[in-house]
Amino acid sequence: MNHWIVAPIVLPAILAPFIIMVLRYHLDLQRIFSVAGVVGLLGIALTITAQATTGEIQVYELGDWPAPFGIVLVLDRMSAMMVLLTALLALPIVLYAIGSGWDDRGKHFHALFHFQLMGVCGAFLTGDAFNLFVFFEVLLIASYGLMTHGGGAVRLKAGVQYVTYNLLGSTLFLFALGTIYSVTGTLNMADLAVRVAEIPPEDTALLRVGAVLLLLVFCIKAAVLPLHFWLPASYANAPLPVAALFAIMTKVGAYSILRVYTLAFGPDVAVTEGLVGTWLQPAAMVTLAVGAIGILGSQHIARMVAFCAITSMGTLLIAISLFSEVATAAALYYIFHSTLATALLFLVADMVMERRGGAIAPTAPMPQTGLISALFFVGAIAMAGMPPLSGFVGKLLVLDASRGAPDATAVWAVILIGSFVTIVGLARAGSLIFWKSHDAQVVPPPEPEDEEATDIAVAAPEPHPGLAFSSVFGAVLGLILLTLFAGPALQYTSKTAEQLFTPDNYISAVLGREE
């Protein structure tokens, strides 16, 4: 077996407890090992992505127990791409947390950070629906700790809300898995696809209930309206480097929809035919619209960026809901772009809040205004989908993929109007924060009791500003490279979509391997 497949899970799983048990009183050593671990994860991700480009689907059987009896990890183009995205996102964020001093404002930041990476990578690689639930819980438990890192009443309140809502999602997840298992007798996704196809149509009512519950769970994770209420306050009140890492968490929900509803409950399966497209597309369009309105109405920069995350998920899920190879290829490209763009804006928002507070209102000029405003400008045009960055390419791909859809006119209208409102909202925020600050009287930052404010409105100057800025420029470089190499990236995502829509290859690899 190819042991590289399990390495993205094993590396952070070993490193996180090592940091807690051996390095807990040595912050400098924690930083060294944490960065080395993320660099190692990036090397592993590049290796398995190179292996996945051959088109071969590889299976790792834990304990050498074959599927469907044992736990399996599956490496294909999509899982490799998502692990690579996770590693590419983690590196600038951990460097920014060190450069800004955020990792020193609470306990166990680096250990929780690696537990989070373990859960995310495991969710992308697992071939079993129950173990998808397990890795969801691992990443959520780590995220609970990261959300409240640094303490404070407002952050704790947002953390409790986050925990409560996601525990509801976890409960529904168990109900969905129990319902599906009661009908099919399996939770291995490849075996589930085989069993679902064999069930007579008259016996599929309970299975459809399970499929609907599962979709509901994934929509909670992806912050689809009306299940998005946990995200704005949670992300806005979390430490913003943590919120930047959380940009990948909503993508876990989107990934799960793509994986499960092209494999086990595919578009050609009679029992769930039309399920995802019928309900997901209108919900995604409303999500985009509400997110854009939230950007326009936000009075705090962190909350505004949280609504940017909701808007990007709306665009992404519109593409996914079309359920065609072309639309899925566009969605996969847009996943890469939106994750980097959202993380970039959260890091820039943290820089702003460190220097002048987070209120979107004129205040006294802050240090490094020109450089930070330039970074905000780059993040804003990327998020709004304006040329020349990858957001423009991604939205063009989504619009092009929707041309033949029954609701193409509505999709185009929502995406284009949403993009315009996003541009207006981000321009308003940028002008108030960076431009009018030079002539305005000082407006005090929001008090900690304000639900839209974080507990640390104006923090101490960052200990390593050069490292923090270099990290943010790393995210900018990622967007530039994604734009310059849009052709090869789209070629990869097109082949990935083709692989997703030929599930027989996945099923054969998992269930029909030679021993």
Side-chain angles (χ1 to χ4, degrees):
M1 288 187 291
N2 179 9
H3 295 287
W4 284 105
I5 300 174
V6 75
I9 302 171
V10 171
L11 176 61
I14 292 174
L15 189 57
F18 176 78
I19 290 173
I20 291 177
M21 293 186 291
V22 180
L23 307 177
R24 62 186 304 172
Y25 300 115
H26 305 282
L27 180 61
D28 289 339
L29 289 177
Q30 288 183 36
R31 289 171 169 175
I32 292 170
F33 275 84
S34 183
V35 173
V38 174
V39 171
L41 179 63
L42 179 57
I44 294 167
L46 289 170
T47 301
I48 63 175
T49 302
Q51 294 175 355
T53 55
T54 63
E56 179 188 1
I57 298 175
Q58 302 182 54
V59 180
Y60 188 88
E61 299 169 345
L62 276 74
D64 208 24
W65 281 85
F69 308 106
I71 298 171
V72 296
L73 304 177
V74 184
L75 176 67
D76 64 355
R77 285 178 171 273
M78 185 164 71
S79 59
M81 185 194 92
M82 297 305 294
V83 171
L84 178 60
L85 175 59
T86 303
L88 287 171
L89 180 69
L91 184 57
I93 290 174
V94 73
L95 292 174
Y96 183 88
I98 294 169
S100 62
W102 263 111
D103 64 335
D104 194 26
R105 299 182 190 177
K107 294 183 178 180
H108 310 309
F109 175 88
H110 291 286
L112 290 168
F113 187 87
H114 284 275
F115 274 128
Q116 177 98 358
L117 295 181
M118 170 193 165
V120 172
C121 291
F124 291 143
L125 288 167
T126 184
D128 183 273
F130 181 77
N131 284 285
L132 180 62
F133 165 78
V134 171
F135 284 118
F136 266 37
E137 294 310 297
V138 171
L139 69 90
L140 287 172
I141 290 169
S143 68
Y144 300 155
L146 288 171
M147 264 215 65
T148 55
H149 179 79
V154 174
R155 190 166 293 134
L156 181 61
K157 178 182 177 182
V160 170
Q161 175 185 332
Y162 176 80
V163 170
T164 302
Y165 209 83
N166 280 281
L167 283 178
L168 172 62
S170 298
T171 304
L172 286 176
F173 204 163
L174 282 178
F175 286 160
L177 293 178
T179 303
I180 292 170
Y181 186 81
S182 69
V183 177
T184 63
T186 185
L187 290 176
N188 178 280
M189 285 190 273
D191 193 39
L192 185 61
V194 175
R195 302 285 185 92
V196 167
E198 295 173 348
I199 297 176
E202 61 271 16
D203 297 332
T204 57
L206 194 58
L207 184 62
R208 190 173 178 86
V209 170
V212 171
L213 286 175
L214 206 56
L215 179 61
L216 185 64
V217 171
F218 297 153
C219 286
I220 291 174
K221 307 300 182 186
V224 178
L225 193 126
L227 307 171
H228 73 296
F229 296 110
W230 60 274
L231 191 148
S234 299
Y235 280 31
N237 290 297
L240 294 191
V242 171
L245 179 64
F246 285 3
I248 195 66
M249 287 178 56
T250 49
K251 308 308 185 297
V252 177
Y255 165 89
S256 300
I257 293 172
L258 271 177
R259 175 66 73 195
V260 173
Y261 292 91
T262 58
L263 179 62
F265 303 115
D268 297 328
V269 177
V271 61
T272 55
E273 184 179 2
L275 172 65
V276 178
T278 301
W279 297 103
L280 185 59
Q281 187 177 95
M285 290 194 289
V286 176
T287 300
L288 195 162
V290 170
I293 294 170
I295 293 171
L296 192 61
S298 294
Q299 300 300 314
H300 193 275
I301 188 170
R303 194 172 183 87
M304 181 190 71
V305 180
F307 276 108
C308 286
I310 293 174
T311 302
S312 69
M313 285 306 300
T315 304
L316 171 61
L317 290 168
I318 287 173
I320 290 175
S321 68
L322 296 173
F323 265 86
S324 66
E325 286 189 23
V326 175
T328 301
L332 293 173
Y333 181 91
Y334 194 80
I335 281 178
F336 229 99
H337 156 78
S338 63
T339 303
L340 295 176
T342 303
L344 170 61
L345 278 178
F346 271 122
L347 296 182
V348 174
D350 186 68
M351 287 183 162
V352 172
M353 291 178 63
E354 293 277 315
R355 290 160 174 80
R356 46 90 73 194
I360 300 178
T363 63
M366 63 180 176
Q368 295 127 348
T369 299
L371 185 55
I372 297 175
S373 63
L375 291 170
F376 179 85
F377 177 74
V378 173
I381 64 174
M383 181 58 66
M386 296 174 63
L389 292 180
S390 52
F392 179 69
V393 178
K395 287 193 176 181
L396 276 182
L397 292 172
V398 175
L399 291 172
D400 183 63
S402 66
R403 282 189 303 169
D407 299 324
T409 302
V411 169
W412 275 59
V414 170
I415 291 178
L416 293 176
I417 294 173
S419 298
F420 175 74
V421 174
T422 300
I423 292 169
V424 173
L426 291 171
R428 164 188 166 272
S431 64
L432 289 173
I433 293 171
F434 300 109
W435 181 31
K436 292 188 177 181
S437 298
H438 295 284
D439 306 315
Q441 297 179 347
V442 175
V443 176
E447 294 297 325
E449 290 77 17
D450 186 347
E451 290 187 0
E452 292 194 3
T454 61
D455 295 292
I456 303 175
V458 181
E462 55 205 275
H464 305 290
L467 181 58
F469 275 104
S470 298
S471 305
V472 178
F473 276 109
V476 173
L477 179 61
L479 291 171
I480 293 173
L481 291 176
L482 187 60
T483 307
L484 293 177
F485 295 97
L490 184 59
Q491 184 179 17
Y492 183 92
T493 60
S494 297
K495 291 182 178 179
T496 303
E498 182 182 351
Q499 192 177 62
L500 279 173
F501 282 86
T502 52
D504 289 345
N505 295 336
Y506 185 102
I507 295 168
S508 299
V510 175
L511 301 179
R513 299 180 69 223
E514 293 291 332
E515 294 297 314

